[in-house]
Amino acid sequence: MLLPTRHKALPDLCSVQPSSRTAGRVVLAALATVSLTLLQPARPALAVHMPKVAELPASALEPFTQSDKQVWDAVVMLPGGRALLEAPIWVGNTGPQLSVRSADGSFAPYPDAAWNAEDGDASKRIVSIAGMTLLADGTLWVLDSGVPNHKAAAVAPAKLIQIDTRQNTVVRVVPIEASALHKDSVLSGVAVHENTAYVADSGVAGVLVIDLPSASAHRFLDRHPAISATRPIVTPDGPVTTANGNLLAIDSSMIAVSPDGKWIVVQPPGGYLSRVETTIFTDPDVTPAAMEESVTQWYKTPSLGGMTIGPDGTLYWSDISTGSILSYTVGRIPRRLITDPRLKWPATPGLDTTGHLYVPAAQLNHTAAFQNGKSLVEWPVTVYKLTLPTTPPPT
C-alpha cells in the first residue's frame, strides 16, 4: 500500500533519542548525512547509476482501465484477466475499497459487498485497506490498518484478511496484536512468505513479523533511521508538503519479501531501499547492536510510489519523481523501463503471468488528503498496462 500515514513534518533532527550507544552512532551518522543532503540541491546519489534514458517507447504503455470516481493506488492481477483494485478510504475515496474488474470490464466489490460495507462489525469488513499481496497458490492477503483518517486515531484493530481468490471467499481473519503497535502506528504494505507476514509501519518506522498460524506479532527495527522519514518526497512539481508548508514525512510504507523468503526489502517513500536477512528475526541470540546493524542499504532509489517483486526476485519500482517504471534485478542491475508524463504519481504495480506490468497513475498528491481537504484529481484515474522487455538487462 502506498503512503498510508499520518501527515507529519520531517522531524527535528536534534530531537531523535537513540535507544543505545550503537544505535546512537548510527542515527547521528545518518542524520548528519541527511542534514548535508537537504542543504544541497537535490540530486540522485546512486551506487550503480540508474540509466537516464528509458528502454521502452511510449507505445509500450497503454490504458488498461479507468475510473471517474475512485483513486486506485494498487493493482493485483488474477488469472483469467481479472484485476483487483485498491481504493483506500484515507485519500477521500467512497464505495468499495477493494474491487474486482472482470475480463469483460465490469466491476464488483471484492470479495463481496458485505466486506466493503461502510459500517457494521469491524471484524467482518474492511475498515481501511492498507495493502495486499497475492501468493502463487491464489491466496490473497489484505492488510486493514483500522485507520481511515490518518489525522486521527484508529477506529478498529488492525488485521490481516486471507482470501481464496479461486473461491472468492474469506478464509480467515488474523488480528494484529496491539502490543506490536505504537499509538501513532499506521500499518502499510504487507508481504507474505509461507506462514510469515511482514508488515511495514508508516506512522512509526518499524517492521512487524507475524506468525500467521498463531497470530503472534513481534516488532523489529523500531524507529530505525534507515526506514524512517529523513528525506523529502519529491515529485516533478517539487517536494511534497503538508497543509502548513512543512515537508511531508512518511516512514516505512513499502515492503516485499524474496521468493525464497530469505530477505525482505523495505523503505519509506522518500528514503532509500534497505534489505534485511529474515533469519535475523528468528535468531534467539541476536543482540540489539546486531539487529541495528542488520539493515543493508540496497539501492539509493528516487522517491517511490510503490513497488512489487517478481517470481525471479526482480523488483519493480514506481518512480514518482520522474513518472517512470524502474526495475532492479537480483544481480543488482538497475533498468529504466519507461518514462511517461501520463504516469502522474505511479503507485503500487502488479504483474501478470504473460509479461505485463499494471500500474495506477494515482495522482495521490492531488487527492484531498494532500490538498487540505480539496481534491484536485484530474479524472479519469487510469491504470496502465506496460509490456515488459523480453531482452536481458544491459551489461
Side-chain angles (χ1 to χ4, degrees), residues 200-256:
D201 189 339
S202 67
V204 182
V207 172
L208 276 62
V209 179
I210 303 169
D211 178 72
L212 295 170
S214 66
S216 63
H218 296 88
R219 187 181 186 91
F220 297 94
L221 306 178
D222 191 42
R223 296 184 173 90
H224 195 288
I227 61 173
S228 298
T230 52
R231 299 180 61 85
I233 302 168
V234 179
T235 73
D237 298 328
V240 181
T241 59
T242 60
N244 60 10
N246 292 323
L247 292 174
L248 180 64
I250 297 175
D251 291 335
S252 46
S253 69
M254 287 168 274
I255 194 166

Side-chain angles (χ1 to χ4, degrees), residues 70-328:
Q70 289 192 315
V71 172
W72 296 316
D73 75 341
V75 59
V76 163
M77 298 304 298
L78 299 177
R82 292 189 299 162
L84 298 178
L85 298 158
E86 179 178 287
I89 194 172
W90 73 273
V91 301
N93 281 312
T94 58
Q97 294 188 59
L98 183 59
S99 299
V100 59
R101 179 192 184 275
S102 298
D104 62 6
S106 61
F107 291 85
Y110 195 81
D112 55 38
W115 275 97
N116 284 272
E118 295 183 1
D119 49 33
D121 185 346
S123 68
K124 297 180 179 179
R125 65 184 179 93
I126 300 171
V127 176
S128 183
I129 196 167
M132 55 182 177
T133 187
L134 182 69
L135 306 189
D137 65 358
T139 297
L140 180 77
W141 285 98
V142 175
L143 174 64
D144 182 353
S145 71
V147 188
N149 180 352
H150 293 156
K151 297 179 182 178
V155 301
K159 61 183 179 289
L160 289 165
I161 305 167
Q162 182 184 6
I163 300 175
D164 181 344
T165 62
R166 293 169 180 167
Q167 300 296 323
N168 304 314
T169 57
V170 172
V171 176
R172 61 173 167 162
V173 174
V174 178
I176 297 177
E177 294 177 329
S179 60
L181 305 175
H182 290 290
K183 175 185 175 183
D184 293 329
S185 287
V186 182
L187 299 184
S188 183
V190 56
V192 175
H193 181 262
E194 296 181 346
N195 288 321
T196 304
Y198 302 92
V199 177
D201 189 339
S202 67
V204 182
V207 172
L208 276 62
V209 179
I210 303 169
D211 178 72
L212 295 170
S214 66
S216 63
H218 296 88
R219 187 181 186 91
F220 297 94
L221 306 178
D222 191 42
R223 296 184 173 90
H224 195 288
I227 61 173
S228 298
T230 52
R231 299 180 61 85
I233 302 168
V234 179
T235 73
D237 298 328
V240 181
T241 59
T242 60
N244 60 10
N246 292 323
L247 292 174
L248 180 64
I250 297 175
D251 291 335
S252 46
S253 69
M254 287 168 274
I255 194 166
V257 61
S258 63
D260 59 10
K262 291 184 177 179
W263 47 265
I264 61 168
V265 289
V266 60
Q267 78 168 79
Y272 294 148
L273 187 76
S274 294
R275 177 168 135 153
V276 186
E277 300 287 339
T278 55
T279 54
I280 199 78
F281 301 130
T282 55
D283 184 351
D285 298 321
V286 67
T287 65
M291 181 62 70
E292 288 283 344
E293 295 169 359
S294 68
V295 181
T296 300
Q297 186 181 99
W298 203 238
Y299 199 74
K300 292 185 177 181
T301 55
S303 296
L304 298 186
M307 70 177 173
T308 194
I309 192 167
D312 63 351
T314 297
L315 288 163
Y316 295 90
W317 300 322
S318 297
D319 172 10
I320 63 175
S321 68
T322 62
S324 300
I325 301 299
L326 315 174
S327 71
Y328 196 52

Side-chain angles (χ1 to χ4, degrees), residues 48-51 55 299 317 327-329 332-336 394:
V48 179
H49 289 285
M50 180 66 63
E55 297 180 31
Y299 199 74
W317 300 322
S327 71
Y328 196 52
T329 69
R332 306 189 75 176
I333 303 298
R335 305 178 73 173
R336 183 178 299 274

Side-chain angles (χ1 to χ4, degrees), residues 363-371 373-379:
Q363 303 181 54
L364 283 195
N365 55 326
H366 294 160
T367 64
F370 288 80
Q371 296 293 332
K374 181 180 180 181
S375 174
L376 300 178
V377 172
E378 298 176 6
W379 303 100

